[in-house]
Amino acid sequence: MFDLIVKGGTLPDGTVADIGIRGDRIAAIGQIEAEAGQVIDATGDLVSPPFVDPHFHMDATLSYGTPRINASGTLLEGIGLWGELKQVMTFEQVRDRALEYCDWAASLGLLAIRSHVDTCDDSLLGVEALLDVRKQVAPYIDLQLVAFPQDGLYRDPTALANTLRALDMGVDVVGGIPHFERSMEDGRASVTALCEIAAERGLMVDLHCDETDDPLSRHIETLTFETQRLGLQGRVAGSHLTSMHSMDNYYVSKLLPLMAEAQVAAIPNPLINIVLQGRHDTYPKRRGLTRVKEMQALGIAVGWGQDCVLDPWYSLGTGDMLDVAFMGLHVAQMTSPAEMRRCFDMVTNVNASIMGLADYGLRVGAQASLVVLDAGNPIEALRLRPDRLCVVAKGKVIAQRQRNDTVLSLPERPGSVRRRHPAHSGGTAG
Ligand code: FE2
């Protein structure tokens, strides 16, 4: 007897299986002939572990246009604009925007999110709001918070003290922004200080690192060195790493094996990188995306992050990690079948491993969280970014929607059979 059975779905590896759930755990995977309190028919649909976003800013999300839009479209104007918004926003506004975003995320099967939260504010209003949100959404979303000194650990006079306070309050991960410090040397020192804080407290590290087109911005080298020196292997991520796009090839050939040795993960954010980078170029304009395939070839964990939805840096966004992977596979030119399947894996399993989610995955004993997609396989899911027909979080069905097939009323086509569903090709023809 199970509480819930998801019947007949196709798993990302192509296996067709039923998934039996008891309480908040997956209790069986295979052909299940047993009673259940609830049965979800997933025949012909893709059943995936939930989407995971390892890089987001939930204190800024859904604030687009407040108090104005980013006219230049640059990272630096975005930071300035966020500074203006911080002066006027309230605890309730931050909390309610974040909770609304979590509703969107839940409906899309995005059930684990690592969000940076700005610690350059003496009131730590954003930290308090997101700690409250973390508690409220815990039944369905695992929200991991990163203490992020947005204005620079040393550039902002109280950032260090406030970042430590935020960690004392229960923020999970140590963040930073070395390329925004006043000098390369301050940036280097901030990486060392932040890694030492993480080592002392037994925490993970995730720095906004080298988010610039400057080929000489090389804080990832310091981050890798400190990871090795302090024994933080497997607990450190560099977010963005866009300068690597422009770095000298010889230098990169030395850097990447060091990152692999130190088990430093990389989190590019393709929607934002392609929008913000290259803004100071004429033509050709650099893409600004880091070297994804080259890192993966060396065994470095690379996940796709979302970064922004409707905020000072990005005027679009939905919360759909399939949009993120879709943009990533285009900009990184990951278009072979194996590379596209890897892109799907990046927004699920790889992101979960970067966040250290031990209970994650479609396996017996794991947390019973999954998403049923109106697609036949991961590549079709990337192509269509289809409806989420059902989302299960920690054993409970939290979202369901009807399959939404278009009905065409068009003239007959003699001698030719029209597909039943023109947008979908996998298994729905005829
Ligand atoms: Fe970010």
Side-chain angles (χ1 to χ4, degrees):
M1 176 75 184
F2 295 92
D3 297 317
L4 171 67
I5 294 177
V6 178
K7 260 221 115 35
T10 304
L11 310 189
D13 67 0
T15 310
V16 174
D18 308 324
I19 298 177
I21 291 167
R22 277 196 208 100
D24 66 351
R25 296 285 139 180
I26 295 176
I29 299 180
Q31 196 170 355
I32 300 173
E33 303 295 340
E35 296 290 305
Q38 190 177 4
V39 175
I40 302 288
D41 180 11
T43 306
D45 300 324
L46 176 63
V47 177
S48 168
F51 295 106
V52 179
D53 181 3
H55 189 114
F56 196 65
H57 294 264
M58 211 177 274
D59 49 358
T61 197
L62 309 194
S63 69
Y64 178 69
T66 314
R68 59 184 177 82
I69 63 164
N70 182 338
S72 70
T74 61
L75 171 71
L76 296 179
E77 183 175 344
I79 293 174
L81 179 51
W82 169 240
E84 293 172 35
L85 177 55
K86 273 198 287 186
Q87 304 300 317
V88 296
M89 69 189 191
T90 65
F91 170 93
E92 288 77 15
Q93 287 167 344
V94 177
R95 180 197 61 197
D96 292 350
R97 286 193 279 99
L99 286 171
E100 185 178 352
Y101 179 77
C102 287
D103 286 352
W104 296 12
S107 74
L108 290 163
L110 169 54
L111 300 184
I113 301 171
R114 171 182 281 183
S115 175
H116 296 254
V117 53
D118 192 348
T119 55
C120 289
D121 160 29
D122 289 343
S123 75
L124 290 183
L125 168 159
V127 172
E128 286 187 345
L130 291 197
L131 285 170
D132 184 45
V133 170
R134 185 177 71 179
K135 194 161 65 181
Q136 289 198 51
V137 303
Y140 51 97
I141 289 178
D142 290 316
L143 177 57
Q144 194 178 69
L145 298 177
V146 185
F148 177 48
Q150 167 79 72
D151 298 328
L153 189 72
Y154 297 133
R155 189 166 170 174
D156 179 87
T158 53
L160 176 56
N162 288 333
T163 300
L164 293 172
R165 275 175 57 213
L167 294 170
D168 289 341
M169 289 161 71
V171 170
D172 308 279
V173 180
V174 178
I177 185 165
H179 54 274
F180 194 65
E181 302 290 351
R182 292 186 192 278
S183 68
M184 204 61 84
E185 176 50 31
D186 272 5
R188 193 202 60 73
S190 79
V191 174
T192 298
L194 291 162
C195 286
E196 287 178 351
I197 290 167
E200 280 165 23
R201 294 174 177 243
L203 300 176
M204 292 192 286
V205 178
D206 186 342
L207 304 188
H208 284 65
C209 197
D210 300 326
E211 189 184 2
T212 159
D213 292 317
D214 177 2
L216 298 178
S217 182
R218 292 170 171 187
H219 299 299
I220 181 60
E221 178 185 292
T222 309
L223 182 62
T224 302
F225 175 83
E226 294 297 350
T227 301
Q228 194 77 16
R229 180 177 73 89
L230 295 165
L232 297 172
Q233 291 90 340
R235 288 162 46 190
V236 175
S239 280
H240 294 298
L241 306 181
T242 53
S243 69
M244 196 189 291
H245 185 94
S246 301
M247 282 174 181
D248 176 73
N249 288 330
Y250 176 81
Y251 175 73
V252 173
S253 73
K254 180 192 173 198
L255 173 67
L256 297 194
L258 292 170
M259 287 177 67
E261 180 189 28
Q263 299 167 50
V264 172
I267 306 172
N269 299 282
L271 290 167
I272 306 311
N273 298 154
I274 198 67
V275 160
L276 294 184
Q277 301 306 312
R279 288 273 179 169
H280 303 265
D281 291 350
T282 54
Y283 287 94
K285 281 185 191 291
R286 285 167 286 182
R287 298 177 184 213
L289 190 74
T290 195
R291 304 192 191 198
V292 175
K293 289 199 275 191
E294 291 77 4
M295 284 192 276
Q296 289 174 330
L298 290 175
I300 296 167
V302 186
W304 293 126
Q306 180 153 233
D307 205 4
C308 303
V309 168
L310 293 170
D311 70 8
W313 296 273
Y314 190 50
S315 46
L316 296 169
T318 60
D320 190 350
M321 292 307 292
L322 287 174
D323 286 346
V324 176
F326 185 77
M327 178 61 75
L329 81 85
H330 281 80
V331 182
Q333 299 180 328
M334 296 176 70
T335 47
S336 75
E339 288 168 341
M340 289 192 284
R341 280 194 292 273
R342 199 188 312 150
C343 282
F344 190 89
D345 197 48
M346 288 165 71
V347 292
T348 51
N349 294 303
V350 178
N351 283 348
S353 73
I354 291 172
M355 283 180 62
L357 303 177
D359 283 352
Y360 179 88
L362 293 185
R363 57 187 164 77
V364 172
Q367 196 170 70
S369 296
L370 56 82
V371 54
V372 181
L373 297 107
D374 188 8
N377 57 62
I379 293 174
E380 195 176 53
L382 285 164
R383 184 173 71 82
L384 300 171
R385 278 91 68 223
D387 287 345
R388 310 311 122 100
L389 300 173
C390 179
V391 178
V392 176
K394 304 185 182 183
K396 299 247 178 354
V397 174
I398 61 161
Q400 279 184 284
R401 71 182 291 164
Q402 296 297 314
R403 197 180 307 276
N404 186 20
D405 285 352
T406 304
V407 176
L408 286 177
S409 301
L410 294 173
E412 289 296 314
R413 249 184 349 215
S416 164
V417 177
R418 182 170 268 131
R419 290 177 190 275
R420 183 178 63 82
H421 191 314
H424 296 206
S425 66
T428 55

